[in-house]
């Protein structure tokens, strides 16, 4: 099953060294190589690889150099490995936000970064928005799930207050899709609303804390520089996260108990209603235009027919950058996601020395993932090869190599035949598939596979499962320490207790998934009666569930 065996044989025959132990080792992913790539990309010299910075550009040049060394080719009509993504950095002017709520009792001012969290406008430099406020439940319109928070609610020209996330009753992957803030902005705009005010329920707070939003949202942000597109589709002028105190007083002013609404939302959809209040936002923004490249390399397929089908493996090259830490100010992003890029590079190296798979494989180091999947979104909107030639999109995001995992959480696996390929790959490294332990977090919409999924392409987003160490015991302390103290922090660096033998095993699994997809007799197909396929690929050919 494992294509690595086939490749190993080919490699050995080419060099005339069949049976050599050295050869068998050469045919494997190298933990040392993953370590070396991770160390370079997460070095302080690259200053966090934030999209639009010199550090990011150096990281991009590094990946492009590796692609060249492996003999990869530019994609489609591209003449080099770069797809330049035009971006706009938006910042608030000092004291550039004034926000107030007016009720019959008077006007209350709320401070950005303390009571509310809002970033600069992507569209205009100076604006004053005034609107009545309407509560609209989850702010979700999902006809396939018979859920419409906007039914019977007039929100034209209004500011809608909505709960972040989506009902627990939604199937996991669709819950992720409908939780995605850009999806909610689209639904609100289509309903005629002009601003979005979001609430964090206690459940949501667990994995998307207010404190993080409070610190991060007022910081400079990035988006596409594409005013024509913005002009052509309905957009929300402003999205504002409400702090817990502010939200409480807003609802109390309407005689409503917000805790009751949070509680109800776990069982039945909370009904929308008009709040006896209006909001006013005055905002002054600064725009700076720049560009940051996606790095794309293709290993052409060997089969004359199947080489026109592409397997995409995507991994984000930028790192999260937040407020300047003290004393460590650089967000190195070693685990998230220098390590993911490193694993992808090892897959590229191994596949290329084996001469490639039957299908073409497109290696995609994405720009500005941490800014809202901007690079992957741009690729799907401006694909260098026709989208219908892409048969699968596989993400590698994070290098959770803290203990010798026995399980793999392969998001997306239960929706298409990619799951069977992933299961075979997992078995090849003595691992099994395990269910998503935190479906409420909506991880399927939180990495670079998501724009491909929205385009109807079968996707896979695998990660090692926490706990269940193969070595016995329950060695999860380092894992938990990473999640709680180092994720998206300056301390995500090479000082973490990463195990490169585990990284090697993870890379070997990724290799087996990509090679398995590239060489499978049939392209990946969605399963019959699958709820994701029903939304994103209603006309696609289906396969029977195993
Ligand atoms: Zn990441």
């Amino acid at each position: 099953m494992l294509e690595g065996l086939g490749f190993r044989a080919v490699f050995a025959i080419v060099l005339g060294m069949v049976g050599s132990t050295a050869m068998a080792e050469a045919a494997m992913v190298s933990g040392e190589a993953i370590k070396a790539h991770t160390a370079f990309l997460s070095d302080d010299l690259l200053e966090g690889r934030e999209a639009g910075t010199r550090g990011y550009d150096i990281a991009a040049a590094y990946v492009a150099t590796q692609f060249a060394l492996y003999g990869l080719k530019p994609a489609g009509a591209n003449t080099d490995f770069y797809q330049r993504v035009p971006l706009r950095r938006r910042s608030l002017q000092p004291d550039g936000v004034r926000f107030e709520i007016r009720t019959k009792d008077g006007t209350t001012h709320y401070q950005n970064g303390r009571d509310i969290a809002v970033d600069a406008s992507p569209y205009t430099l100076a604006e004053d928005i005034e609107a009545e406020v309407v509560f609209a439940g989850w702010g979700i319109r999902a006809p396939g799930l018979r859920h419409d928070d906007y039914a019977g609610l007039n929100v034209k020209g209004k500011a809608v207050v909505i709960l972040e996330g989506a009902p627990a009753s939604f199937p996991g992957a669709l819950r992720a899709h409908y939780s995605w803030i850009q999806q909610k902005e689209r639904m609100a705009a289509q309903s005629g609303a002009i601003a979005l005010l979001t609430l964090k329920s206690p459940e949501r707070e667990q994995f998307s804390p207010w404190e993080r939003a409070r610190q991060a949202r007022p910081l400079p942000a990035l988006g596409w520089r594409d005013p024509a597109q913005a002009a052509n589709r309905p957009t929300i002028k402003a999205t504002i996260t409400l702090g817990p105190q502010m939200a409480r007083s807003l609802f109390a002013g309407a005689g409503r108990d917000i805790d009751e609404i949070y509680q109800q939302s776990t069982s039945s959809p909370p009904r929308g209603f008009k709040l006896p209040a209006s909001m006013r936002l005055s905002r002054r923004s600064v725009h700076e235009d720049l560009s940051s490249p996606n790095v794309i390399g293709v290993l052409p397929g060997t089969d004359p027919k199947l080489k026109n089908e592409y397997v995409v493996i995507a991994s984000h090259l930028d790192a999260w950058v937040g407020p300047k830490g003290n004393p460590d100010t650089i967000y190195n992003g070693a685990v998230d996601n220098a390590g993911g890029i490193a694993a992808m590079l090892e897959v590229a190296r191994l596949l290329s020395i084996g001469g490639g798979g039957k299908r073409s494989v497109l290696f995609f180091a994405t720009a500005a993932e941490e800014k809202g999947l901007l690079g992957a979104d741009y690729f799907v909107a401006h694909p260098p090869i026709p989208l219908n030639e892409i048969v699968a999109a596989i993400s590698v995001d994070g290098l959770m190599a803290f203990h010798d995992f026995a399980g793999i959480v392969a998001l997306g696996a239960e929706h298409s035949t990619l799951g069977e390929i992933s299961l075979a790959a997992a078995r090849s490294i003595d691992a099994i598939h395990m269910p998503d332990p935190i479906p409420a977090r909506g991880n399927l919409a939180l990495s670079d596979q998501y724009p491909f999924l929205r385009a109807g392409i079968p996707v896979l987003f695998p990660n090692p499962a926490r706990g269940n160490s193969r070595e016995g015991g329950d060695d999860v302390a380092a894992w938990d320490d990473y999640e709680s103290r180092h994720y998206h922090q300056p301390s995500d660096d090479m000082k973490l207790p990463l195990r490169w033998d585990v990284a090697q095993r993870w890379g070997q699994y990724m290799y087996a998934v990509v090679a398995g997809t590239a060489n499978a007799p049939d392209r990946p197909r969605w399963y019959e009666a699958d709820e994701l396929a029903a939304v994103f690929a209603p006309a696609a050919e289906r396969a029977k569930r195993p």
Side-chain angles (χ1 to χ4, degrees):
M1 284 304 273
L2 176 59
E3 290 305 325
L5 295 174
F7 148 70
R8 204 172 299 164
V10 168
F11 190 57
I13 290 161
V14 165
L15 295 189
M17 293 169 68
V18 178
S20 151
T21 313
M23 204 45 46
E25 276 168 16
M28 305 288 280
V29 162
S30 157
E32 285 304 310
I34 293 179
K35 181 181 180 182
H37 292 311
T38 306
F40 178 85
L41 291 169
S42 67
D43 195 286
D44 277 359
L45 287 169
L46 274 65
E47 298 175 334
R49 312 188 300 284
E50 187 174 23
T53 67
R54 181 170 181 272
Y56 179 86
D57 290 345
I58 295 170
Y62 181 81
V63 170
T65 302
Q66 302 303 319
F67 284 178
L69 288 170
Y70 308 148
L72 305 190
K73 306 277 179 266
N78 290 357
T79 53
D80 60 23
F81 294 119
Y82 292 143
Q83 179 186 43
R84 288 158 190 84
V85 183
L87 297 169
R88 168 167 292 167
R89 182 184 287 135
R90 55 185 195 268
S91 340
L92 290 165
Q93 287 187 16
D95 300 316
V97 170
R98 194 178 164 81
F99 182 82
E100 55 194 40
I101 294 284
R102 292 176 186 179
T103 66
K104 62 177 175 28
D105 300 325
T107 298
T108 312
H109 296 266
Y110 293 101
Q111 197 182 314
N112 194 22
R114 188 189 70 192
D115 310 310
I116 60 159
V118 64
D119 64 8
S121 167
Y123 309 116
T124 54
L125 298 178
E127 70 194 331
D128 291 280
I129 305 168
E130 214 173 335
E132 292 176 348
V133 180
V134 176
F135 176 64
W138 297 97
I140 290 171
R141 184 166 265 167
L145 299 169
R146 295 208 195 91
H147 183 111
D148 187 356
D149 287 309
Y150 290 106
L153 218 53
N154 174 15
V155 299
K156 206 160 170 43
K158 309 272 167 65
V160 289
V161 189
I162 59 166
L163 295 161
E164 290 187 11
S169 58
F170 281 23
L174 283 178
R175 192 177 182 192
H177 171 62
Y178 285 108
S179 296
W180 179 235
I181 189 66
Q182 289 179 11
Q183 179 65 14
K184 292 203 174 192
E185 287 173 344
R186 260 176 235 134
M187 291 184 283
Q190 281 159 8
S191 307
I194 62 166
L196 210 52
L197 310 178
T198 72
L199 302 170
K200 288 184 186 293
S201 67
E203 189 200 20
R204 185 80 183 166
E205 178 71 25
Q206 288 169 27
F207 43 81
S208 173
W210 154 249
E211 185 54 25
R212 200 168 275 170
R214 186 188 72 74
Q215 290 182 22
R217 285 214 75 199
L219 296 175
L222 273 188
W224 282 9
R225 180 182 359 128
D226 196 347
Q229 182 165 1
N232 286 337
R233 68 171 186 216
T235 46
I236 284 288
K237 293 183 190 212
T239 299
I240 302 161
T241 310
L242 305 183
Q245 297 307 326
M246 189 275 157
R248 192 166 297 278
S249 65
L250 176 67
F251 279 75
R256 306 299 280 248
D257 181 357
I258 198 164
D259 294 315
E260 211 167 279
I261 291 174
Y262 290 147
Q263 260 163 29
Q264 279 171 3
S265 71
T266 58
S267 50
S268 59
R271 285 286 189 81
F273 53 85
K274 193 176 166 322
L275 286 150
S278 63
M279 62 141 262
R280 186 168 171 189
L281 172 72
S282 152
R283 185 164 54 161
R284 301 291 176 267
S285 304
V286 179
H287 290 167
E288 181 195 348
D289 289 346
L290 48 99
S291 95
S292 210
N294 286 326
V295 192
I296 301 163
V298 171
L299 182 60
T302 55
D303 183 283
K305 264 174 87 174
L306 295 181
K307 70 178 185 190
N308 295 318
E309 296 182 353
Y310 290 79
V311 177
V312 169
I313 171 168
S315 191
H316 70 87
L317 186 54
D318 64 316
W320 170 269
V321 175
K324 292 285 168 247
N326 182 24
D328 185 1
T329 59
I330 297 174
Y331 289 70
N332 306 78
V335 167
D336 182 17
N337 183 37
I341 290 282
M344 180 177 80
L345 289 176
E346 269 301 272
V347 173
R349 182 182 69 82
L350 263 194
L351 261 179
S352 67
I353 27 176
K358 289 178 181 159
R359 292 185 177 79
S360 297
V361 178
L362 187 147
F363 296 89
F364 179 14
T366 70
E369 189 265 3
E370 297 286 11
K371 307 294 185 184
L373 315 180
L374 301 179
D377 237 346
Y378 188 84
F379 178 104
V380 170
H382 304 88
I385 50 169
L387 277 186
N388 61 14
E389 293 180 3
I390 298 177
V391 300
I394 300 158
S395 276
V396 48
D397 185 357
L399 183 71
M400 298 302 280
F402 295 108
H403 63 66
D404 201 15
F405 57 94
I408 289 171
V409 177
L411 298 179
E414 68 273 35
H415 301 284
S416 78
T417 56
L418 265 182
E420 295 160 50
I421 294 169
S422 171
L423 189 59
R427 286 188 179 135
S428 78
I429 62 151
D430 187 27
I432 54 167
H433 273 179
M434 297 186 78
D436 182 3
I438 36 168
R441 186 157 157 183
N443 279 340
L444 201 61
L446 294 181
S447 193
D448 289 318
Q449 72 285 342
Y450 180 50
F452 292 92
L453 169 63
R454 289 204 312 269
I457 296 164
V459 298
L460 191 74
F461 178 23
N463 261 301
R466 173 187 176 279
N468 302 289
S469 171
R470 286 199 310 162
E471 293 153 343
D474 191 22
D475 176 24
V476 294
W479 178 296
D480 290 348
D481 193 49
Y482 174 77
E483 295 247 305
S484 61
R485 291 178 50 225
H486 306 297
Y487 169 70
H488 284 184
Q489 296 297 326
S491 53
D492 181 354
D493 61 24
M494 287 297 280
K495 292 197 280 293
L496 291 169
L498 285 163
R499 287 202 23 201
W500 302 104
D501 59 326
V502 174
Q504 188 279 337
R505 214 169 134 244
W506 177 245
Q508 204 64 42
Y509 159 80
M510 288 305 310
Y511 169 74
V513 169
V514 173
T517 312
N519 289 320
D522 296 318
R523 62 188 278 172
R525 277 178 294 161
W526 294 98
Y527 287 137
E528 285 173 356
D530 182 74
E531 73 264 9
L532 271 191
V535 171
F536 299 115
E541 200 189 333
R542 304 302 168 91
K544 279 211 178 345
R545 271 177 204 278

